[in-house]
Amino acid sequence: MKLNYNKISKQYDDVREADVELINKFLEEITFDEETKILDFGCGTGNYTDKIKRLTNADVYGIEPSDGMRKKAITKNNKIIYKKGNHENISFPDNFFNFIYMTDVIHHIPDIDVMFKEFKRILKKGGKICIETESHEQIEKRFYVKYFPSTAIIDKARYPKINDIKNIVEENGLIFIKSLTIGDASERTVDKKFLELVEKKGYSMFHLIPEKEFENGLHELKKDLKEESFKVETSGDTLIWIEKI
Ligand SMILES: C[S@@+](CC[C@H](N)C(=O)[O-])C[C@H]1O[C@@H](n2cnc3c(N)ncnc32)[C@H](O)[C@@H]1O
């Protein structure tokens, strides 16, 4: 099934927002000023671009293939330049950006080798890339796999393994600096807000599992949420840092 982000764009911001911990990681690693050119690749509705522009006043750009998602982004902040594009078509000059990041996007890219070739072209020497994703171990540990078991199977097929990303990065002459885990093994409260996210299919995998499994999982989740909320352990995300030298 092909995901329709024009349709998803109508509800995306009801259930998804920028992760402040992740933005702080960018701020720790990169020096931002008005001269710093940043690309949010697969920027969606601009939740991250908007926050980063406001926090740093850097020169922020976004690439996004879906017209619906991009239109939402444009309405949030008119100081950011958004362009239609995808991994095969990133219409910026060579050696243009100081920093490229992607949040929750790499599993949508059908050919990451082509994407890294484009990233290498548009990144300045000394420029960095940060990819936020999940390892297969993290996918298996998501607390909601209990409710929707095939999400783990579907996502392990969509998300490239961290080591495969490393190999492709290096084959393209870029430097794989490090991968690190953020936001794991802490306590999280699951409440009605998460229920709303599931009901609105706020993660793309909910569009990809059988409808019957989705309904059963939702039913079980609602039963567990009878008491309003419960605690789980977070599975975390992986950040991959890359450099062009
Ligand atoms: C889960 S959303 C993440 C949006 C945003 N990065 C965020 O964190 O809110 C995934 C985004 O990837 C975009 N996308 C899908 N295929 C893409 C491609 N080939 N190149 C670039 N972006 C793509 C989708 O249109 C969608 O906006």
Side-chain angles (χ1 to χ4, degrees):
M1 188 212 222
K2 201 163 158 25
L3 290 165
N4 181 348
Y5 266 102
N6 287 331
K7 198 166 164 214
I8 291 172
S9 70
K10 297 191 170 64
Q11 293 194 324
Y12 192 83
D13 286 346
D14 294 348
V15 288
R16 298 285 288 267
E17 56 188 31
D19 173 354
V20 179
E21 186 187 351
L22 178 54
I23 292 179
N24 285 337
K25 293 283 171 197
F26 295 163
L27 298 177
E28 279 167 24
E29 197 86 20
I30 304 288
T31 311
F32 291 95
D33 59 37
E34 286 165 33
E35 304 289 303
T36 315
K37 289 191 162 37
I38 303 173
L39 177 65
D40 182 329
F41 183 70
C43 62
T45 59
N47 287 338
Y48 283 90
T49 42
D50 178 43
K51 276 228 161 51
I52 290 173
K53 178 72 191 172
R54 287 174 204 275
L55 282 171
T56 66
N57 209 24
D59 208 1
V60 182
Y61 299 78
I63 283 279
E64 170 54 46
S66 152
D67 294 337
M69 298 292 269
R70 214 173 51 260
K71 277 181 189 150
K72 292 262 178 184
I74 291 166
T75 59
K76 277 182 202 150
N77 195 324
N78 63 11
K79 294 193 183 121
I80 298 167
I81 295 172
Y82 292 105
K83 288 194 185 185
K84 190 176 175 89
N86 61 26
H87 62 290
E88 292 173 322
N89 168 29
I90 312 179
S91 55
F92 286 101
D94 296 357
N95 307 311
F96 190 74
F97 290 105
N98 302 87
F99 178 46
I100 302 171
Y101 68 88
M102 51 201 294
T103 56
D104 212 9
V105 174
I106 197 163
H107 54 290
H108 294 290
I109 308 298
D111 187 339
I112 62 170
D113 180 59
V114 169
M115 180 188 80
F116 281 121
K117 284 192 168 54
E118 272 295 82
F119 282 3
K120 189 179 178 195
R121 181 185 67 75
I122 60 177
L123 197 62
K124 283 182 188 164
K125 224 173 161 179
K128 286 190 178 155
I129 302 168
C130 185
I131 296 171
E132 182 262 343
T133 184
E134 284 166 84
S135 68
H136 285 206
E137 295 73 23
Q138 288 168 329
I139 289 170
E140 280 164 7
K141 281 192 200 149
R142 290 170 176 165
F143 78 89
Y144 47 85
V145 168
K146 170 181 155 197
Y147 301 100
F148 309 101
S150 63
T151 57
I153 298 158
I154 286 171
D155 273 357
K156 280 194 287 178
R158 292 198 299 164
Y159 282 65
K161 288 186 177 157
I162 306 302
N163 213 41
D164 292 346
I165 298 174
K166 180 174 190 284
N167 289 340
I168 294 176
V169 162
E170 290 174 346
E171 278 162 26
N172 278 290
L174 292 162
I175 307 298
F176 185 99
I177 308 173
K178 61 183 171 190
S179 72
L180 54 109
T181 294
I182 61 164
D184 66 323
S186 50
E187 197 176 73
R188 168 186 174 172
T189 303
V190 179
D191 56 15
K192 299 273 187 255
K193 206 166 166 219
F194 182 75
L195 181 63
E196 185 191 359
L197 181 144
V198 177
E199 283 175 325
K200 292 189 171 173
K201 298 195 175 181
Y203 293 144
S204 56
M205 66 202 154
F206 292 133
H207 294 270
L208 303 174
I209 63 174
E211 195 54 29
K212 190 82 199 137
E213 179 185 335
F214 178 75
E215 281 164 18
N216 288 343
L218 186 59
H219 179 73
E220 291 304 311
L221 179 65
K222 280 182 179 162
K223 273 203 315 207
D224 288 352
L225 275 170
K226 235 183 15 260
E227 307 299 332
E228 298 291 310
S229 67
F230 57 90
K231 305 267 190 214
V232 293
E233 190 173 279
T234 55
S235 49
D237 295 321
T238 298
L239 292 192
I240 297 173
W241 284 95
I242 297 162
E243 188 173 7
K244 174 175 165 180
I245 56 167

